[in-house]
Amino acid sequence: MDRSERVELAVLCLIKDGDRILLQNRVKKDWQGYTLPGGHVECGESFVDAVIREMKEETGLTIIKPRMVGIKQFPMKNGRYEEGRYVVLLFTADQFTGEVVSSEEGEMEWVNRSEISRISAVDDLEELLQVFDDPDLTEFRYLVDGDVWTAVLK
């Protein structure tokens, strides 16, 4: 049995300022709506360095002491994990310096947590935020059956 598999690594970060969180209104056709900022981990890059770099590139902020709180995973192709897994490390940060800027990925906006259900968010944002909010949860995983993707939180 082969113990290795094809994996792409990425990071997302929930940047908090009191009751507000920083969201990106993504413009790419494959995943539109408000979501957490993030991006790919470069080959050989530490995960912490990757989230700091990605937040600087996408938000203009230099986050301080990011903390990993969980993981999100889903199949890369055809809904089958056997064809590769996309692994997203989930971080949170409430200390930062700098001014918020937007990027070609989308506009950045501070949003009150109480307003999340009223904005045009990506399909799984509210479920994903449960992993950040509940200390008993650390995993968000998609199970795929045909065209149906079901989020499983553990």
Side-chain angles (χ1 to χ4, degrees):
M1 180 169 135
D2 190 4
R3 292 184 148 182
S4 63
E5 63 182 281
R6 183 166 182 248
V7 174
E8 285 188 41
L9 297 170
V11 292
L12 285 178
C13 190
L14 175 69
I15 301 175
K16 299 184 277 188
D17 182 24
D19 291 334
R20 304 182 311 162
I21 61 173
L22 190 59
L23 296 178
Q24 182 180 67
N25 190 3
R26 281 184 55 98
V27 295
K28 285 188 174 181
K29 290 186 184 352
D30 66 338
W31 198 241
Q32 289 184 332
Y34 285 92
T35 190
L36 299 174
H40 286 87
V41 176
E42 301 294 332
C43 183
E45 184 177 34
S46 99
F47 301 135
V48 171
D49 290 346
V51 74
I52 291 170
R53 175 186 53 76
E54 282 291 343
M55 292 310 100
K56 182 68 174 174
E57 289 174 6
E58 293 202 9
T59 72
L61 299 178
T62 300
I63 58 173
I64 301 164
K65 297 182 182 175
R67 187 173 64 84
M68 194 169 100
V69 297
I71 193 164
K72 178 181 180 181
Q73 58 183 315
F74 51 92
M76 279 196 280
K77 293 172 30 178
N78 303 320
R80 294 172 35 93
Y81 279 101
E82 294 84 359
E83 296 190 35
R85 181 188 311 235
Y86 200 87
V87 175
V88 185
L89 304 172
L90 306 175
F91 286 86
T92 187
D94 58 10
Q95 298 177 49
F96 52 85
T97 61
E99 297 294 322
V100 174
V101 297
S102 297
S103 72
E104 68 275 356
E105 300 280 331
E107 293 291 317
M108 301 306 305
E109 185 178 331
W110 288 107
V111 176
N112 283 330
R113 286 298 294 265
S114 61
E115 301 294 316
I116 296 296
S117 63
R118 297 185 191 131
I119 62 173
S120 180
V122 296
D123 290 338
D124 64 9
L125 180 62
E126 289 190 66
E127 289 171 300
L128 181 62
L129 290 175
Q130 290 178 44
V131 177
F132 289 91
D133 294 340
D134 186 338
D136 292 329
L137 296 175
T138 57
E139 182 179 57
F140 179 116
R141 179 179 183 212
Y142 273 115
L143 298 178
V144 183
D145 184 11
D147 290 337
V148 178
W149 289 51
T150 304
V152 176
L153 306 180
K154 293 183 181 187

